[in-house]
Amino acid sequence: MSEVFGLTAADLAHRLGAGEISSVEATQAHLDRIAAVEEEIHAFLNVNTDEALAAAADVDARRGRGEDLPELAGVPVAVKDLVVTRGQVTTAGSRMLQGWVPPYDATIVQKLRAAGMPILGKTNMDEFAMGSSTEHSAFGPTRNPWDTSRIPGGSGGGSAAAVAAFQAPLAVGTDTGGSIRQPAAVTGTVGVKPTYGSVSRYGLVALASSLDQAGPCARTVLDAALLHDVIAGHDPLDATSLPEPAQPYADAARAGAANADLTGLRVGVVRELGGEGYHQGVRDRFTESLDLLVAAGAEVVEVSCPHFDAALAAYYLILPSEASSNLARFDGMRYGLRVEPSEGPVTAERVMAATRGAGFGAEAKRRIILGTYALSAGHYDAYYGSAQKVRTLIQRDFAAAFEQVDVLVSPTTPTTAFRLGEKVDDPMAMYLNDVATIPANLAGIPAMSLPSGLAEDDLPAGFQILAPARADASLYRVGAALEAHQLSAWGGPLIDRIRSVEAGA
Ligand code: GLN
């Protein structure tokens, strides 16, 4: 992949720094790529051509004046449409917010702007980040660049597809139950859910506040680390923000790639995240990457996390409960959509009902009803209360496991990308995609998905690495080392084998 849009963010940053290319050229190359393949992929809800080029020109001018610029200055980025951007429409994939222009920037957007990164546009997603396929977007699904008849994962399928289709070198995603990692797995890219509280949630449209976390989507481990370095850090505007400064993740990734010897590293394979429900191809690729870790000197043991079997059920009570409360703000009164009843009196309650009836899609309504029920006086203890207890047991499982090993590993998802339409009308089948990603959110720990190869259906499978809270740097060190061994085993980056969208290039 010799075109500008084929460069990694790290390479692009290097060329920008060396004056070999301007940010305007780099940004234009990605805008051209978007124009060429977007009709097929539909990764974006909104492309901000003028603003991206203006930001690029500004960086070029500052570089021309000899200013000392951040490492990623001039490297364009795409942002999930759950993240509010001042002056740019932010919809969260919902009719409820169609056309809404936020009056402020999320903290992470401020950080991207301060880093000199032109924002190419806002990426498609399942409505309010509820889903695993982007088919719940009010604006039509995104398609997987490896095979456009298949889903790109969700909810952040737009961010993952944009990166996989070379429309953007980097993208920001959010992960409440896997929405960064599951799309990364099925698009052959790298996605990281940081430690809860380490990246600001200020300015994210809230889904489930105790689980939501923004993070990087990229094509390489180092690129993910570079973006993670930009967006992480304490934020007084987020009450759950961790007080300590972020660690240098790119340094950890570079160290892992430079010295891929993993002697002394203890790796735990989670017994409950594997086995029968997982497709053979996904398991085979997982085992191969595990073998690479062993060959690199790591000691691999099996560990059991017995309560993980209840994680999915607990998550699908806790998430709807929090979502039903967070989504109460969409009432037709404050901002966003307002629908008046077609007949009869225009009372507040009737406007609210008409607005919510018209504005929310089926999955959002399903979860609001479920969450309201789980929180109701007569059922709170039986549902929400029990789910919170399970959450504590899962945290204890992780704590016990991390006494034995440094990192845990599993396949990221049970299957490769399924076909569009295959599961959209079957909520349970859709929810089961999240079985391996949800425990990390319930415990607040960091996790990464990186490619493990192509399964027998020629579609990418994902390898998940989990680390203790605040040990995000371990993900980058181990992930970069594994990636280095994979590259020599595979003879080059997997992502360069992407074929289906080349016709549009
Ligand atoms: N698939 C998960 C869900 O539908 C993902 C949520 C998320 O991470 N935003 O809840």
Side-chain angles (χ1 to χ4, degrees), residues 135-202:
E135 292 168 292
H136 294 310
S137 167
F139 309 109
T142 297
R143 284 172 286 278
N144 191 319
W146 290 87
D147 174 347
T148 52
S149 72
R150 292 175 188 269
I151 59 102
S155 65
S159 283
V163 168
F166 299 94
Q167 295 172 299
L170 295 169
V172 171
T174 68
D175 191 311
T176 304
S179 287
I180 290 175
R181 288 164 289 154
Q182 183 255 3
V186 300
T187 58
T189 55
V190 178
V192 176
K193 182 202 96 72
T195 295
Y196 181 79
S198 67
V199 175
S200 170
R201 288 187 297 110
Y202 178 73

Side-chain angles (χ1 to χ4, degrees), residues 123-135:
T123 56
N124 196 15
M125 54 182 285
D126 288 294
E127 181 174 18
F128 291 113
M130 299 173 180
S132 310
S133 70
T134 74
E135 292 168 292

Side-chain angles (χ1 to χ4, degrees), residues 163-426:
V163 168
F166 299 94
Q167 295 172 299
L170 295 169
V172 171
T174 68
D175 191 311
T176 304
S179 287
I180 290 175
R181 288 164 289 154
Q182 183 255 3
V186 300
T187 58
T189 55
V190 178
V192 176
K193 182 202 96 72
T195 295
Y196 181 79
S198 67
V199 175
S200 170
R201 288 187 297 110
Y202 178 73
L204 304 191
V205 178
L207 171 55
S209 309
S210 77
L211 302 163
D212 297 344
Q213 191 59 202
C217 310
R219 290 190 294 265
T220 69
V221 172
L222 174 59
D223 281 5
L226 287 164
L227 181 57
H228 196 159
D229 281 339
V230 172
I231 60 175
H234 177 65
D235 180 9
L237 296 175
D238 174 356
T240 59
S241 178
L242 291 173
E244 63 260 47
Q247 311 144 34
Y249 302 117
D251 289 355
R254 287 192 171 108
N259 176 12
D261 179 4
L262 295 175
T263 305
L265 181 80
R266 292 166 307 160
V267 176
V269 177
V270 185
R271 182 185 307 152
E272 288 76 12
L273 303 180
E276 278 196 357
Y278 292 71
H279 280 186
Q280 193 59 44
V282 170
R283 277 152 54 178
D284 290 346
R285 295 297 86 79
F286 173 73
T287 309
E288 282 168 17
S289 283
L290 206 54
D291 290 345
L292 291 176
L293 291 178
V294 173
E299 182 196 329
V300 175
V301 295
E302 191 181 64
V303 298
S304 176
C305 295
H307 300 98
F308 281 20
D309 291 343
L312 195 78
Y315 171 89
Y316 276 100
L317 284 168
I318 293 168
L319 179 137
S321 299
E322 293 189 24
S324 70
S325 163
N326 275 325
L327 297 181
R329 74 193 64 182
F330 300 106
D331 56 6
M333 303 291 152
R334 295 165 234 234
Y335 61 109
L337 185 74
R338 178 187 171 92
V339 178
E340 301 204 343
S342 50
E343 53 190 41
V346 183
T347 62
E349 215 164 283
R350 285 167 50 81
V351 169
M352 233 175 268
T355 301
R356 289 168 71 84
F360 288 130
E363 183 63 22
K365 285 177 183 161
R366 187 178 294 129
R367 296 199 195 190
I368 289 169
I369 292 168
L370 196 67
T372 308
Y373 183 79
L375 289 177
S376 61
H379 301 286
Y380 183 95
D381 287 337
Y383 293 111
Y384 185 74
S386 305
Q388 290 289 29
K389 287 179 188 158
V390 172
R391 187 173 189 174
T392 302
L393 294 173
I394 285 162
Q395 287 162 351
R396 288 186 191 156
D397 279 357
F398 271 124
F402 285 127
E403 274 177 18
Q404 300 170 55
V405 296
D406 302 305
V407 294
L408 294 166
V409 296
S410 78
T412 311
T413 57
T415 70
T416 56
F418 48 93
R419 288 190 190 285
L420 287 157
E422 200 177 313
K423 300 184 180 176
V424 68
D425 297 321
D426 183 348

Side-chain angles (χ1 to χ4, degrees), residues 23-98:
S23 177
V24 168
E25 286 165 342
T27 303
Q28 188 62 56
H30 286 93
L31 290 166
D32 290 347
R33 174 69 177 174
I34 292 171
V37 303
E38 182 58 4
E39 202 178 300
E40 245 184 302
I41 303 299
H42 191 225
F44 287 86
L45 292 177
N46 198 3
V47 177
N48 303 303
T49 305
D50 294 345
E51 210 184 304
L53 288 171
D58 181 55
V59 173
D60 288 340
R62 286 164 57 197
R63 204 184 297 279
R65 289 196 294 271
E67 272 183 42
D68 199 13
L69 296 172
E71 183 162 1
L72 289 184
V75 175
V77 62
V79 176
K80 188 179 184 181
D81 208 27
L82 196 72
V83 183
V84 308
T85 40
R86 184 171 56 196
Q88 293 175 8
V89 172
T90 299
T91 67
S94 180
R95 266 188 302 277
M96 202 54 111
L97 286 174
Q98 192 162 15

